[in-house]
Amino acid sequence: MDKGAAELQTRELTINMGPQHPATHGVLRLVLDLDGETVVKCTPYIGYLHRGVEKLAENRTYLSALPLTDRLDYISAMANNQGYCLAVERLFGVEAPERAKYIRTMVAEMSRISSHILWLGTHALDIGAMTVFLYAFREREWLLDLFEMLCGARLTTSYARIGGVRNDVSQEFIDSLYRFTGEFPRRIEEYETLIDQNRIWLKRTKGIGVIEADEAVNWGLSGPTLRGSGVSYDVRKHAPYDAYDKVEFDVPIGKRGDVYDRYRCRMEEMRQSNRIIRQCIEKLPVGPVMAPDAPKISLPPKDNVLKTMESMIHHFVLITKGPMAAPDGEIYSCTEVPKGELGFYFVSDGSGRPYRMRVRAPSFVHASVIPRLCEGSLVADVIANIGTVDIVLGECDR
Amino acid sequence: MEPKLIAQTIAEALKTRFPEDVKGTREFRGQVSVIVRKDRIKEIMEYLHDTPQWCFSYLRDVCGVDYRGRKEPRFEIVYQLYSVSHQHAIRIRAEVPEEDPVIDSVVGVWDGANWLERECYDMFGIRFKGHPDLRRILMPEDWEGHPLRKDYPLKSDLGEKEWKDLKEVYDLAKENRAYEMRQDG
């Protein structure tokens, strides 16, 4: 009997999760070593969506590299466009006119809401709360319709331009968006009644995936994933860009750094985004939406191209050779996108194409922290941990 | 103080502290980069991270740049540092020569450097000494070459030397086509 028991050996079980797993939010593959229900080791594999965005950008002009940024974090393309255009504007030393700044701030906050709604819906669905998913998509649809009204596309918007935005907003758009901001706070309350009192939700989020403030900073986390740990770092406050220094908003932070606090942060952020959009509409100044002093950097209005010789020449050269008079220098510019800090590092050699474009993607950094969150926890919490860092693999793999 | 002035002060402090290693500073649009030799990169980073006055607790980014044919040494590893508590930033550019593409890893200073350095290795073939897990990250593990090097083609002209897994996929697709239902029955 004793001899038989000694012969029984136990060893860790290795299982493969993904890349085609609905709860991994894209093509993320995890290899988990399990001791019973406990995760001993977690190894993520990424790169399934690698398209070589950085390499492609080196072979495109500054103008034609813009659509590539739609496809980074494809849930919040507006915010990516804004980040890219800001970086190029800073490199060239041009500034967008006031009205364009407000519009960009507005659409970036819209994309923050739509990204957080999608996150809430799928995260809750993963943990077992189905209903909120259906409610969340109702509001997301409204926002996507608004994007479509604005620029003709729902996801790959390519709306911002170097030196402004592509076209002005219509009154119809403004009216509908203002109605949205009036209704949305009530909708957030609706989501909260669905899950805030839900005992299963609370059990599965409180005290799970805890990361302390110092450690979160050391890992390079950003956005709500960092702020859930109580670090008040928000690019919109630390280095305001576009119209963020002209609107009032708070930066919600958590205390415990667990899945629940990060959830609370994102819910509050949606309220703040709503506030920002409302202020942008109320304060929206009149004027042009493209920088008038940048004819050699951004495309001239189409009307002028058809009528004046000079604009046509500018248009032709900009499309074929890229912006003229690029400076010889380098710039790192970052913005606060829904997922965290999106940075662009440009090295320019004076030609119309970036010599090097580096994308600092928040999802890439957040994906690297998944083993830290998962190891030692239960296998069921792996799902909660993937959801809580809010990664999009398009941005992670680039 | 203005961000630019703080960054200049930090650059000066670095020069005094590491006179042998700092090669120069570059300034553009209010951002300051310090160009350093790679040999004592870890000590420089530890100094910036640990000195309470600078407190660069946050590593924003690590990336490589290939200056093939434009500059010697050929590669640069660029670190974007930020201090969350003091709200100042600096960029450190470490030069790495082509014939000896090795630099010390800074994973011991920031945990977040782990994947960022792996990406540099994957894309530029620069090895990080002391890295706990230096493997390819975005490209498949049996991939040949380092895509972000300037001498790597944008479009493949390898022909027969194409990545072998891709050939397998093509062959499989060809095989599967034989089983497709024919319209004429």
Side-chain angles (χ1 to χ4, degrees):
Chain A
M1 184 89 173
D2 283 333
K3 196 186 161 203
E7 273 172 5
L8 281 176
Q9 283 185 347
T10 58
R11 63 183 179 86
E12 281 147 17
L13 178 71
T14 304
I15 62 162
N16 178 56
M17 184 177 150
Q20 310 293 358
H21 188 287
T24 53
H25 297 252
V27 280
L28 172 69
R29 176 176 160 228
L30 298 177
V31 173
L32 303 170
D33 290 351
L34 303 177
D35 177 10
E37 280 277 297
T38 313
V39 179
V40 181
K41 191 163 179 284
C42 165
T43 320
Y45 289 86
I46 60 165
Y48 295 94
L49 264 183
H50 181 61
R51 292 145 296 169
V53 165
E54 291 174 13
K55 183 83 175 174
L56 286 171
E58 286 174 11
N59 294 278
R60 283 167 171 246
T61 64
Y62 286 97
L63 299 169
S64 60
L66 173 71
L68 296 176
T69 63
D70 290 332
R71 288 138 181 95
L72 292 172
D73 174 3
Y74 36 74
I75 297 162
S76 50
M78 284 287 192
N80 297 342
N81 295 159
Q82 182 195 29
Y84 175 81
C85 290
L86 261 170
V88 180
E89 281 165 17
R90 282 171 180 165
L91 178 69
F92 281 85
V94 292
E95 209 171 321
E98 282 298 293
R99 187 175 172 87
K101 284 185 178 179
Y102 274 89
I103 294 174
R104 287 209 297 219
T105 309
M106 196 162 76
V107 293
E109 291 307 316
M110 283 166 71
S111 81
R112 191 182 314 278
I113 293 180
S114 95
S115 168
H116 282 0
I117 285 180
L118 181 80
W119 165 83
L120 175 73
T122 50
H123 187 41
L125 185 67
D126 291 347
I127 302 187
M130 173 90 192
T131 325
V132 70
F133 179 79
L134 303 169
Y135 280 75
F137 266 61
R138 184 185 57 190
E139 273 69 66
R140 185 172 141 82
E141 193 62 22
W142 190 342
L143 287 170
L144 293 186
D145 283 345
L146 281 171
F147 284 152
E148 194 177 0
M149 191 194 284
L150 184 62
C151 63
R154 290 156 64 85
L155 290 175
T156 50
T157 51
S158 286
Y159 176 61
R161 286 286 182 278
I162 300 158
V165 292
R166 195 183 112 205
N167 56 295
D168 206 343
V169 292
S170 66
Q171 192 57 43
E172 196 191 352
F173 172 85
I174 293 283
D175 291 343
S176 180
L177 182 59
Y178 203 68
R179 233 181 14 257
F180 175 85
T181 58
E183 282 200 23
F184 189 58
R186 273 207 305 283
R187 303 283 170 91
I188 301 179
E189 275 168 33
E190 246 177 52
Y191 310 147
E192 285 175 344
T193 42
L194 282 170
I195 45 181
D196 256 10
Q197 309 284 320
N198 183 333
R199 278 171 64 187
I200 301 169
W201 172 263
L202 295 177
K203 281 260 182 203
R204 293 207 58 185
T205 56
K206 282 201 165 174
I208 305 296
V210 179
I211 188 158
E212 299 290 333
D214 289 348
E215 213 188 338
V217 171
N218 197 266
W219 271 100
L221 304 184
S222 54
T225 313
L226 174 68
R227 290 192 287 272
S229 300
V231 183
S232 175
Y233 170 53
D234 188 321
V235 185
R236 294 175 295 171
K237 285 282 186 200
H238 276 211
Y241 52 93
D242 279 351
Y244 283 110
D245 51 347
K246 298 182 192 82
V247 291
E248 277 177 30
F249 66 100
D250 301 320
V251 177
I253 56 168
K255 282 195 198 88
R256 290 174 296 263
D258 58 1
V259 176
Y260 182 78
D261 275 20
R262 288 189 280 269
Y263 150 72
R264 288 274 14 127
C265 272
R266 290 197 176 94
M267 296 306 272
E268 283 309 314
E269 254 182 38
M270 284 201 268
R271 289 202 170 89
Q272 298 301 327
S273 295
N274 200 59
R275 231 175 113 192
I276 297 173
I277 296 174
R278 234 179 142 76
Q279 290 175 61
C280 281
I281 295 176
E282 281 158 6
K283 292 181 182 174
L284 193 64
V286 287
V289 292
M290 276 299 270
D293 57 340
K296 294 189 175 174
I297 295 158
S298 41
L299 288 174
K302 194 71 187 170
D303 280 357
N304 295 3
V305 177
L306 300 173
K307 283 178 196 149
T308 72
M309 191 67 185
E310 203 184 19
S311 291
M312 203 190 84
I313 294 169
H314 282 156
H315 185 95
F316 184 71
V317 176
L318 277 170
I319 293 293
T320 51
K321 284 190 173 163
M324 290 158 271
D328 199 349
E330 44 168 352
I331 199 123
Y332 178 82
S333 157
C334 56
T335 52
E336 184 80 19
V337 296
K339 306 282 180 292
E341 175 185 331
L342 174 73
F344 285 96
Y345 174 60
F346 282 109
V347 178
S348 163
D349 61 346
S351 71
R353 293 154 206 271
Y355 184 73
R356 169 92 167 97
M357 178 179 103
R358 159 76 183 163
V359 184
R360 188 263 188 216
S363 294
F364 183 79
V365 182
H366 291 172
S368 74
V369 83
I370 289 175
R372 155 69 187 77
L373 295 176
C374 290
E375 281 168 10
S377 73
L378 295 177
V379 70
D381 294 334
V382 171
I383 305 295
N385 284 327
I386 294 170
T388 191
V389 292
D390 195 11
I391 53 169
V392 163
L393 271 295
E395 180 181 65
C396 186
D397 295 346
R398 279 156 288 147
Chain B
M1 221 185 347
E2 220 187 309
K4 190 171 87 181
L5 294 175
I6 301 171
Q8 280 167 349
T9 320
I10 298 165
E12 283 307 313
L14 266 180
K15 235 184 259 174
T16 334
R17 179 77 199 252
F18 301 94
E20 301 281 293
D21 301 281
V22 176
K23 284 183 80 176
T25 57
R26 193 77 39 90
E27 204 190 302
F28 184 72
R29 303 252 194 253
Q31 297 187 354
V32 177
S33 6
V34 182
I35 302 157
V36 300
R37 276 181 234 282
K38 62 165 186 159
D39 305 329
R40 289 173 71 196
I41 187 72
K42 199 168 174 210
E43 283 162 67
I44 293 172
M45 291 305 179
E46 275 166 356
Y47 166 72
L48 289 169
H49 179 268
D50 297 338
T51 312
Q53 204 183 343
W54 313 135
C55 191
F56 283 106
S57 51
Y58 192 75
L59 177 71
R60 274 177 162 161
D61 194 21
V62 179
C63 73
V65 184
D66 180 2
Y67 289 100
R68 181 171 183 261
R70 287 165 188 254
K71 201 164 83 72
E72 273 305 316
R74 178 177 167 183
F75 297 110
E76 263 182 17
I77 297 289
V78 185
Y79 302 84
Q80 317 276 358
L81 308 184
Y82 188 66
S83 167
V84 172
S85 47
H86 300 347
Q87 307 193 5
H88 54 225
I90 200 161
R91 172 162 53 237
I92 307 290
R93 291 162 49 181
E95 295 185 325
V96 180
E98 189 180 359
E99 54 278 8
D100 176 33
V102 184
I103 188 169
D104 283 334
S105 164
V106 296
V107 177
V109 189
W110 295 280
D111 288 324
N114 191 324
W115 278 29
L116 295 166
E117 288 184 345
R118 271 177 72 186
E119 196 189 337
C120 287
Y121 163 69
D122 194 357
M123 293 294 151
F124 291 94
I126 293 163
R127 291 193 305 281
F128 290 84
K129 215 164 76 192
H131 191 286
D133 182 27
L134 198 63
R135 288 179 289 129
R136 280 190 185 271
I137 185 159
L138 293 176
M139 306 304 283
E141 56 267 36
D142 57 347
W143 193 263
E144 280 171 32
H146 301 283
L148 275 180
R149 287 190 174 194
K150 287 284 177 185
D151 49 359
Y152 191 91
L154 179 68
K155 196 163 183 258
S156 160
D157 51 1
L158 296 172
E160 276 302 298
K161 284 196 282 177
E162 188 63 86
W163 183 45
K164 68 176 190 330
D165 291 28
L166 188 71
K167 204 172 165 299
E168 261 171 43
V169 173
Y170 280 148
D171 291 346
L172 196 67
K174 218 180 276 174
E175 218 173 277
N176 285 348
R177 225 168 284 152
Y179 298 102
E180 265 172 33
M181 294 232 280
R182 277 196 216 121
Q183 287 297 317
D184 52 34

